[in-house]
Amino acid sequence: MSELVPGGNLPLPEGAVTVRVAGPFDVSALVTDDHGKVGGDADFVFYNQPSAPGARLSGDSLTIDPRRLRAGASRVTVVVSPADPGTPLGRLPAPVLQVTGAGGRPLARFAPPRPRQETVLLLAEIYRRGDGWKLRALGQGYADGLAGLARDFGVDVMDDTPTTAAPSVPLTVSGARPAAGPALRTPSGSSPAHPPPPTRPAPLPRAPAPAASTDLAAFLTLVNSARSTTGSSPVMLDPRLTDAARAHASAMASADRLGVEGPDGVSVFQRLTATGYAYLTVGEHLVSGPRDPSEFVEYCLRTEQPRRTLHDQAFSHVGLAHAANGRSGDVYWTALWAGPLTPAALTRTADEVVGLTNRERARAGLPPLGVDPLLARAAQAYSTDMAVRAFYSHTSPEGTQPWDRAAAAGSTRRSIGENIACGQRSAAEVVEGWMNSPGHRANILKPGFTHIGIGFAGGGPAGTYWTQLFGA
């Protein structure tokens, strides 16, 4: 059975699979096509409409048979929310996703980072890749419930009664990539088993397109003024980040939806590395709604996660661009924030991962691991390979295993173990994720291991790729 971390994926066997989330939660699912759109209300599977072609909800379990999904369906996004609407997930036990195949055979387990104030969590997605299907762990939460989920899907949330238009509100995507989708509504002729959230936003008016020449100088002044209030160093505009931001904003505009990955299958992180910018730290704002850079910065400052990104001391460069969809008129913004990858910075990050790992071992009464340069060489090469070739697995496309890679780097250690992760933005975040996963935790706390090597690379679909290679 695979222990997944956010952004991790694995191929699924043929036939039906069952995903289960035990506890005080409601499980639901959205069936979408290649463009991230549902075909209608029938593609929303939830407690009051428990079945759709190829998907059936029974209690806390959702069974999905990709072969029986409606024509054109290519993705099923699994969503969890509190059974008591409006209750923050942080007040409940942490949701854990269990995935089983034919005969109940365990396939995967995913324990996302514990939510806080979020009331909806995208746990995972089952999606078509070539002739097969794969499962990807997400773990993306929304503090404003289904309304926030719908906005990140790039759609209006419609109330059941006539309403007046609300002021223009920026829409944003951050973290693991959700596919776009339509408004989430109770299907016609049905009544919800649970009361709906007390309020829902009215449809958002179209924002007029900003001037063709975005005032990047004014944007930079506003950003650095805001950063100075928290003691963060000023950032500089970097043309490579701006080029990548422009390419991604155009991709989102062409699809008329927000997303970390564009309709061409290229992520915003891959666009950045394609410019030749190698990063150690990266952040992104993907937003629709602001009319000019000043409104964009205003949005960032009034929303917690975007504000943390704008203030982050780890970033030294920034790029900003926007593009409009010719049909809808919606304007899509991309801001990229990054700190460059240097040998010294990479060494500091690897040392931090080792230090945090040894702190966990010390808490368990175990001796620290020493750094092995050969294991470090193999780990670094593998993280780079995963980022460059856009795969995520302990087995390389050529079929090599961790012990093969250690031996190829010159290591003669007799016992080898490996942890990998993708999508985490810091050493602390990745070690915390590994410690929250039983399989990865077992490697970190294995008494027999004596040495370790760390690898990190930026790029690929997930943005960051981490490797721990253990040896004895």
Side-chain angles (χ1 to χ4, degrees), residues 8-414:
N9 64 77
L10 81 161
L12 293 175
E14 291 187 6
V17 296
T18 297
V19 297
R20 178 174 183 261
V21 184
F25 307 106
D26 280 336
V27 179
S28 54
L30 287 158
V31 181
T32 56
D33 58 20
D34 287 338
H35 302 290
K37 303 295 184 183
V38 298
D41 286 341
D43 283 345
F44 181 29
V45 179
F46 68 120
Y47 53 80
N48 209 38
Q49 182 173 264
S51 65
R56 175 170 292 277
L57 179 65
S58 177
D60 58 10
S61 298
L62 177 71
T63 299
I64 300 165
D65 188 342
R67 301 167 301 180
R68 300 182 182 278
L69 293 173
R70 65 166 174 83
S74 59
R75 189 180 305 269
V76 180
T77 303
V78 180
V79 181
V80 67
S81 56
D84 181 13
T87 301
L89 288 167
R91 296 181 184 176
L92 302 176
V96 176
L97 182 74
Q98 302 279 356
V99 185
T100 56
R105 180 170 68 90
L107 298 177
R109 178 183 183 274
F110 174 48
R114 186 176 182 85
R116 297 180 182 177
Q117 295 302 312
E118 294 90 342
T119 54
V120 173
L121 191 69
L122 269 67
L123 270 182
E125 58 184 5
I126 292 172
Y127 62 101
R128 187 194 303 275
R129 179 56 58 91
D131 294 331
W133 290 78
K134 301 183 76 173
L135 170 77
R136 186 191 340 258
L138 296 176
Q140 180 181 355
Y142 298 80
D144 48 353
L146 290 180
L149 173 63
R151 287 199 300 271
D152 267 6
F153 270 51
V155 297
D156 296 333
V157 180
M158 305 299 294
D159 204 343
D160 294 331
T161 57
T163 60
T164 57
S168 178
V169 179
L171 315 182
T172 180
V173 171
S174 61
R177 175 187 57 80
L184 306 183
R185 295 175 292 180
T186 302
S188 302
S190 62
S191 58
H194 302 290
T199 59
R200 281 176 163 176
L204 303 177
R206 303 294 187 194
S213 57
T214 301
D215 190 350
L216 290 177
F219 165 73
L220 191 64
T221 299
L222 291 168
V223 164
N224 284 331
S225 175
R227 286 173 65 87
S228 69
T229 63
T230 61
S232 295
S233 302
V235 292
M236 298 182 295
L237 288 168
D238 188 291
R240 294 166 295 181
L241 271 67
T242 298
D243 286 347
R246 184 179 300 112
H248 198 70
S250 296
M252 292 193 298
S254 69
D256 206 13
R257 64 179 174 89
L258 296 166
V260 173
E261 186 176 286
D264 53 2
V266 180
S267 75
V268 67
F269 314 111
Q270 290 169 304
R271 299 187 204 282
L272 178 53
T273 55
T275 68
Y277 189 103
Y279 60 81
L280 179 69
T281 55
V282 67
E284 73 282 355
H285 288 136
L286 310 178
V287 179
S288 176
R291 292 167 294 184
D292 54 45
S294 64
E295 285 193 5
F296 181 90
V297 174
E298 180 184 352
Y299 156 74
C300 293
L301 292 176
R302 70 170 181 257
T303 311
E304 181 181 0
Q305 181 58 50
R307 182 170 61 247
R308 286 204 302 264
T309 299
L310 187 150
H311 286 154
D312 198 327
Q313 179 65 42
F315 301 137
S316 55
H317 295 124
V318 67
L320 177 73
H322 70 270
N325 178 274
R327 298 180 301 276
S328 68
D330 287 343
V331 180
Y332 292 85
W333 295 77
T334 298
L336 283 170
W337 312 77
L341 179 69
T342 64
L346 182 60
T347 298
R348 286 195 303 271
T349 297
D351 289 346
E352 187 177 357
V353 173
V354 173
L356 291 168
T357 299
N358 281 333
R359 186 176 69 180
E360 297 296 341
R361 287 177 64 88
R363 288 173 175 170
L366 297 170
L369 301 172
V371 175
D372 183 325
L374 297 179
L375 294 180
R377 181 187 304 169
Q380 182 58 44
Y382 197 57
S383 285
T384 301
D385 193 25
M386 288 191 290
V388 170
R389 294 201 285 171
F391 73 94
Y392 179 72
S393 172
H394 290 288
T395 304
S396 76
E398 292 76 28
T400 64
Q401 301 293 333
W403 43 90
D404 299 319
R405 296 187 286 273
S411 174
T412 58
R413 297 194 179 277
R414 65 184 184 277

